Amino acid sequence: MYFLAGSIILSSYLTLAFKVCERYRISIFQAIVFNYLVCVITGSIVNGAFPFTAANLQSNWIGWALVMGLLFIVLFNIIGFTAQKIGVAVASVANKLSLVIPFLFSIFLYHEKATWLKIAGIAVALLAVILTCYPAGKNNEPKTSRKTVSLLLILPVVLFFGSGLLDTLIKYTEQTYLNEGNKNAYLITCFATAFIIGFIILLVQLVLKKTTLQPKAIFAGILIGIPNYFSIWCLVRVLGNYSGNSSAIIPINNMGIVLFSSVMAWLLFKERLSAINWFGIILAIGAIALIAFG
């Protein structure tokens, strides 16, 4: 349970950090790029050694690590943009609606047991997250152009499929390729891939003078990177501890993130929650109970 709590708290912290970056006019892309470098350094310290050995680079999981690294940086930027432009609660909800994908994946490919209570919990959870991000009022609607509004309407769909794919890949690789001896090496390789992709893009932008390097973005990357590493580290371990029940653990993890980040956004950033939003949060608690004990 400690790993589950750690995953929820640290993942929520990451989404909240994007709002802080906006407040201090920090480039979210630069912060994300340096965050992944910090993840590599943090993971190497935790692992006790730099994991990029010839054996690891030729391992059977290297291709999945490269794919996951690409997903990391793409989705992290989309989540950050959504949190800044729409709100923390909406970003968390759009991200964690994806719980349906790994749930179905675990049921049909791993033949995990799906009781009617769990299925009812998923249905209630979907309703809960929709109500949680229901606009609280006209004052909360972003003042954007028609083109930007169209883009924002696409973001939840992208986050849904992207985050669902990422969670599913984490479960698949954890169950198929990973063990206690290579989990850290796998995670660090994912983070290193994300950093290399982001750094190349940033370097091109700097050469073309499309942006300037922000020292404060490096500092933000440190404050984001360490929790980011341990959020994934905790998730991998909680999935390992409950390897036969990931169809319950992943929804509980995702709903916990939605609940915690929504409440903290309301407390810290005064993001407005209507009666409908609060009703969604109450439903979410009920959904967690159904999924966990179903």
Side-chain angles (χ1 to χ4, degrees):
M1 292 304 293
Y2 292 111
F3 290 137
L4 180 59
S7 175
I8 291 172
I9 294 172
L10 293 174
S11 298
S12 300
Y13 165 87
L14 298 176
T15 310
L16 294 166
F18 293 136
K19 289 292 288 186
V20 177
C21 287
E22 180 185 32
R23 180 167 296 181
Y24 290 96
R25 300 182 183 276
I26 298 173
S27 167
I28 189 63
F29 177 71
Q30 292 187 30
I32 288 174
V33 170
F34 291 114
N35 130 82
Y36 284 120
L37 176 60
V38 173
C39 285
V40 172
I41 296 172
T42 303
S44 298
I45 294 173
V46 171
N47 194 44
F50 202 58
F52 302 118
T53 63
N56 284 335
L57 294 177
Q58 295 176 3
S59 62
N60 54 4
W61 49 256
I62 188 66
W64 295 107
L66 298 179
V67 172
M68 193 172 294
L70 175 62
L71 285 173
F72 273 173
I73 192 163
V74 171
L75 289 173
F76 218 23
N77 275 281
I78 294 175
I79 293 169
F81 182 81
T82 305
Q84 290 184 342
K85 300 300 180 181
I86 307 178
V88 170
V90 175
S92 294
V93 166
N95 186 20
K96 298 310 175 182
L97 271 171
S98 62
L99 58 88
V100 174
I101 296 176
F103 173 79
L104 295 175
F105 185 87
S106 297
I107 297 297
F108 289 107
L109 292 188
Y110 293 125
H111 306 292
E112 293 185 5
K113 187 178 180 181
T115 66
W116 284 109
L117 284 178
K118 284 186 177 180
I119 295 173
I122 289 293
V124 174
L126 290 174
L127 177 60
V129 291
I130 291 172
L131 294 179
T132 302
C133 71
Y134 189 85
K138 293 183 178 180
N139 292 336
N140 273 9
E141 294 178 1
K143 297 179 180 179
T144 55
S145 65
R146 182 174 299 178
K147 181 179 179 180
T148 303
V149 169
S150 299
L151 176 62
L152 295 180
L153 291 176
I154 295 173
L155 288 178
V157 178
V158 175
L159 283 179
F160 177 85
F161 287 104
S163 297
L165 176 60
L166 181 60
D167 283 345
T168 301
L169 281 179
I170 290 175
K171 173 59 186 175
Y172 174 74
T173 54
E174 186 275 330
Q175 191 151 317
T176 307
Y177 300 109
L178 303 186
N179 52 55
E180 288 302 320
N182 63 14
K183 281 182 179 179
N184 261 323
Y186 177 79
L187 283 178
I188 298 171
T189 303
C190 294
F191 289 130
T193 301
F195 169 69
I196 291 170
I197 293 172
F199 186 73
I200 291 173
I201 295 173
L202 177 59
L203 195 60
V204 171
Q205 291 178 341
L206 292 172
V207 170
L208 296 177
K209 297 183 178 180
K210 298 292 185 179
T211 188
T212 57
L213 186 63
Q214 291 184 342
K216 58 185 178 181
I218 299 175
F219 181 68
I222 296 172
L223 296 181
I224 294 174
I226 296 174
N228 189 16
Y229 173 81
F230 283 108
S231 69
I232 303 296
W233 184 86
C234 287
L235 179 58
V236 169
R237 271 151 182 76
V238 77
L239 288 174
N241 290 342
Y242 297 92
S243 59
N245 201 23
S246 65
S247 59
I249 292 301
I250 290 177
I252 290 173
N253 180 74
N254 287 3
M255 293 304 303
I257 293 169
V258 169
L259 286 169
F260 189 77
S261 60
S262 298
V263 172
M264 293 306 296
W266 174 64
L267 292 174
L268 297 176
F269 304 115
K270 309 304 179 184
E271 286 194 1
R272 186 176 169 189
L273 293 176
S274 67
I276 293 178
N277 302 145
W278 282 115
F279 181 60
I281 290 175
I282 293 172
L283 281 182
I285 296 173
I288 290 173
L290 287 173
I291 295 169
F293 302 109

